[in-house]
Structure formats: C-alpha cells, structure tokens
Amino acid sequence: MIPNSIKYIFRYTTQYTVLLFIGLSVSCTAQNAIIDNLKEAPVHGGLEMEDYWVWGSSVIKGDDGQYHMYASRWPKMLPFHPGWMIASEIVHAVSKIPEGPYQFKDVALGYRGAQYWDGRSCHNPKIVKYKDTYILYYMGSTHPFEEVTQENISEFDLKSKWCIAGRWGKRVGVATSKSPNGPWKRLDAPILDVKPDSYYSFLTSNPSPLIKEDGSVVLLFKGRSYQEEGIKQSDMSIGVATAPSFDGEYTVVGTKPLFSMEHLGEVEDPHLWSDDEGFHLVAKDQRGLITGGKGDGLLAHSKDGIHWEVDENPRAYTKTVKWENGKTIKQGQLERPFVFVENGKPTHIFFATMDGPGGFGNGTKTWNMVIPLK
C-alpha cells in the first residue's frame, strides 16, 4: 500500500551519506505509552532518607500485598558523585500503595568485606520474580583501601585511588531470596564480567533484566571499554545478554552494542518491561541525539528482546515535572526510569531525582519520586 506521504531522512557521517527511505502516513501519529499518559506527581511519593543520598529504585508487589522498593543510598558525608562508587548500599522499603511514601525497613545488600567483588558498593538494583524466587540484579564493586572519613575526605575525588579501583571493578551481579524481606543469597562472582577487546572491556553495570515465561532471561547492561589513549574509559554503550535461567550462564549477544555513540546515540539507565505487544525499553538519552533533548527519556520496542527499534514517537519524558501541588518544576536531574507493571499494565513510572539547577555537584538532596500513569 502506497502511503500518503514520503519522508526522507538524511544522516550525514564524516565518510558517507546514508539515505533512509521511510514511508509515513500523515493521517495519524503513534501514541507514546509514557509521555502521553503522565499524571501529576505526588509530592510525598517515593522514598527520601535524611542524611543519605537516595537513588535508583525498583519496585515489586510481594505475596504479602505490600509494595517493596529496593533503592541505592550512601551517606551525605560523601559527595553525591562519586560517593556512590565506594559506599552505596541497597536498601529495602515498603508501602501499602505503589505511590508510597515508602518506609525504610532494612539493608538488603550492604558492605560485606573488601575481599568480595561487591564488598564495598552495591548499586542500581532491579528486582524481578520467577515462580517462588525473588531475584535482585545490581552492580557491585570493591577497593582494597582504607575507609574514606572526615580526616581524609579532602583526598577523595574521581582521580583518587578509591575511585580508580571502584570504577574499574564495577560488575553486574545477582542475589536471590524466597521472600522480598530477605535474607539475600549473594554470589562469589559476578554474572557478567568484562571481556578484552570489547565494548565492555572496562566495566559492566546498570543491569535491566526481563524473565520470559519459560524462565530464560534477557538482560540489558551498560558497558564501557578502555580508550586507546591511556587507562581511561570510553563513552557508554548498551548491550544485551541472555541466559537459559536467572541462575544460568549469561552470554553477551554479538560483538556490537544496541546503543552507542557510533550507533543511534549514547543512552543510559535502560529499563525493560513487556506486555501483549512485546518488549519495551525506556532509557535516558544522554546527549539528546535520538529525542532531541539532552537527558530526556526515549522509548524503543522489540519482539524478542534482542533486536530493537526506536519508537516512531520516541520521547518518553522530560525533566519538567508537574506536581500535585500545582507546581511545575524542571528537576536538576531525572534519571533511572523504572516502569512498574501491575496486572499486565504499566501503572507508574519511578525516577531518581535531584533538586537544583542541574549537575551532580549542584544539588542539595535526592530522592526517588513516582508519577502515576493514566
């Protein structure tokens, strides 16, 4: 069938010009599952903790009927960035309703000794369940040095020994429990290690799993490689790995990432969910190369979790939030999107957020906020 109009998109590179021929109908525009359905954000929703930086939440409804949130936190004695790299722990909070507010209950994954691969920092949790097992994916890291205290904090920054070791050691891991309240069984090794001469030769991080009905797993992750000039990390890439089961062997698919500076654009914080139409992905468009807005959310879709296409109408959200008290505020940071699905329908989207004008060094507080979906 010949469409009503034809749109030609030219993509220019330094080497050649690619002509993409895309047929579009002018009679309709694809609806966006997130941005077209955002309601007002509850002011006291989500999770905030005094004396702690709070970041990146993941929520599941337990067999007890309560909503269980897993989030990262680290003491405000440390700067927000890079404090998380050496002192983050994953905490567990609960609420009777998905919006919250969530009440702190316990530390799910904390410090367990520098000798463990995840002994110093556990970060970026994602919770899923398969049959009777709760599975908590996360990033772990360690370093062999003394603690950072008030006495030596002046030495702590991205170029310090703590951060060099902590960043280089970032790996993806998993912990399991028969209850959302724990205890959690942690592994002695990560499930997704680095690979020489790959786009994830430097680190693996930011896991986002989806378990299919047969128990097999699709896992998106962030990778960085070593740069040729010195021992430095590259820009971010997003890859996909699969496993026959959550406790099976994870294998990275192919040699090229799904998203990178060389392909589509640099994105971060991918989150997966599924419905009757297939797999969906929301992520932060790091540089705005896909959505046109730096730090805005983007949407993509897939039939198998391996091969992905950016949505026709890809912008999922912006940093500007409408709050239920009538205020509209551009958040300093709005990251780590998490779409909560109940009874097969997306009902809420959670974010890690920061006040201030923008930039990790310019905020005074962080919290995990939530926006209900229509």
Side-chain angles (χ1 to χ4, degrees):
M1 180 178 180
I2 300 175
N4 295 330
S5 67
I6 301 296
K7 181 179 180 181
Y8 293 96
I9 298 177
F10 293 87
R11 290 184 177 176
Y12 295 96
T13 70
T14 57
Q15 297 176 328
Y16 53 84
T17 302
V18 180
L19 179 62
L20 297 180
F21 179 90
I22 304 175
L24 299 177
S25 171
V26 299
S27 62
C28 64
T29 301
Q31 186 179 25
N32 186 296
I34 303 298
I35 203 167
D36 292 336
N37 291 292
L38 294 174
K39 299 172 73 173
E40 294 178 338
V43 174
H44 300 293
L47 174 69
E48 184 176 354
M49 302 189 72
E50 189 175 358
D51 299 325
Y52 287 94
W53 301 110
V54 177
W55 207 242
S57 63
S58 181
V59 176
I60 196 167
K61 189 175 184 179
D63 297 330
D64 55 5
Q66 294 194 95
Y67 295 86
H68 296 258
M69 174 186 284
Y70 303 86
S72 303
R73 78 170 186 185
W74 58 104
K76 294 189 81 171
M77 177 203 76
L78 297 170
F80 174 88
H81 180 65
W84 61 271
M85 205 176 292
I86 66 158
S88 179
E89 58 186 5
I90 295 174
V91 297
H92 169 220
V94 296
S95 172
K96 292 182 179 179
I97 58 175
E99 296 96 310
Y102 285 79
Q103 302 299 317
F104 169 78
K105 190 168 185 181
D106 53 62
V107 176
L109 302 179
Y111 174 84
R112 66 166 178 164
Q115 71 272 27
Y116 293 97
W117 70 273
D118 60 348
R120 294 282 194 173
S121 181
C122 295
H123 197 64
N124 289 346
K126 284 290 177 71
I127 186 71
V128 290
K129 185 184 181 185
Y130 184 69
K131 294 184 177 180
D132 65 345
T133 303
Y134 291 87
I135 307 131
L136 187 58
Y137 289 80
Y138 64 101
M139 179 225 78
S141 186
T142 191
H143 66 79
F145 309 112
E146 71 274 17
E147 297 284 351
V148 176
T149 65
Q150 292 288 0
E151 286 68 36
N152 61 12
I153 196 170
S154 62
E155 305 171 30
F156 178 69
D157 59 24
L158 271 174
K159 296 181 180 179
S160 67
K161 60 185 179 182
W162 296 283
C163 290
I164 291 174
R167 171 169 272 171
W168 174 85
K170 290 167 62 177
R171 302 289 187 271
V172 171
V174 67
T176 57
S177 175
K178 296 299 182 182
S179 166
N181 301 304
W184 295 92
K185 180 181 179 182
R186 293 155 77 166
L187 302 178
D188 292 334
I191 61 168
L192 198 60
D193 210 335
V194 295
K195 181 181 179 180
D197 301 319
S198 73
Y199 65 86
Y200 54 100
S201 62
F202 189 85
L203 59 81
T204 64
S205 184
N206 296 35
S208 183
L210 193 145
I211 301 183
K212 299 181 179 181
E213 290 184 2
D214 63 0
S216 62
V217 182
V218 172
L219 180 71
L220 298 190
F221 69 97
K222 181 176 82 174
R224 291 186 188 267
S225 63
Y226 282 99
Q227 289 184 334
E228 293 183 4
E229 301 83 11
I231 305 176
K232 297 180 180 179
Q233 61 177 354
S234 68
D235 294 317
M236 296 179 290
S237 296
I238 302 299
V240 58
T242 60
S245 62
F246 69 84
D247 55 356
E249 182 178 353
Y250 288 77
T251 304
V252 176
V253 178
T255 59
K256 295 182 179 181
L258 300 177
F259 293 89
S260 67
M261 283 298 295
E262 293 72 34
H263 180 64
L264 296 178
E266 185 183 39
V267 309
E268 191 179 20
D269 302 340
H271 173 70
L272 286 174
W273 79 97
S274 65
D275 57 24
D276 292 340
E277 296 180 358
F279 295 86
H280 304 276
L281 175 158
V282 62
K284 182 182 73 169
D285 188 356
Q286 184 75 3
R287 302 173 189 245
L289 297 178
I290 302 173
T291 63
K294 182 179 179 180
D296 289 353
L298 70 92
L299 288 174
H301 59 277
S302 172
K303 292 296 183 183
D304 58 7
I306 307 298
H307 305 92
W308 290 86
E309 296 181 19
V310 174
D311 282 15
E312 180 184 331
N313 182 16
R315 183 174 289 174
Y317 60 83
T318 71
K319 291 182 182 179
T320 301
V321 175
K322 293 182 179 180
W323 297 89
E324 64 180 5
N325 61 5
K327 295 182 178 181
T328 299
I329 300 173
K330 184 177 181 180
Q331 301 299 113
Q333 301 292 138
L334 194 72
E335 305 192 6
R336 303 293 302 162
F338 172 83
V339 176
F340 178 72
V341 177
E342 190 166 13
N343 299 322
K345 301 286 186 181
T347 62
H348 299 77
I349 183 167
F350 290 78
F351 295 98
T353 193
M354 176 184 276
D355 66 352
F360 291 135
N362 299 318
T364 63
K365 70 173 184 177
T366 63
W367 68 103
N368 286 320
M369 60 169 288
V370 58
I371 303 178
L373 299 174
K374 298 175 185 176

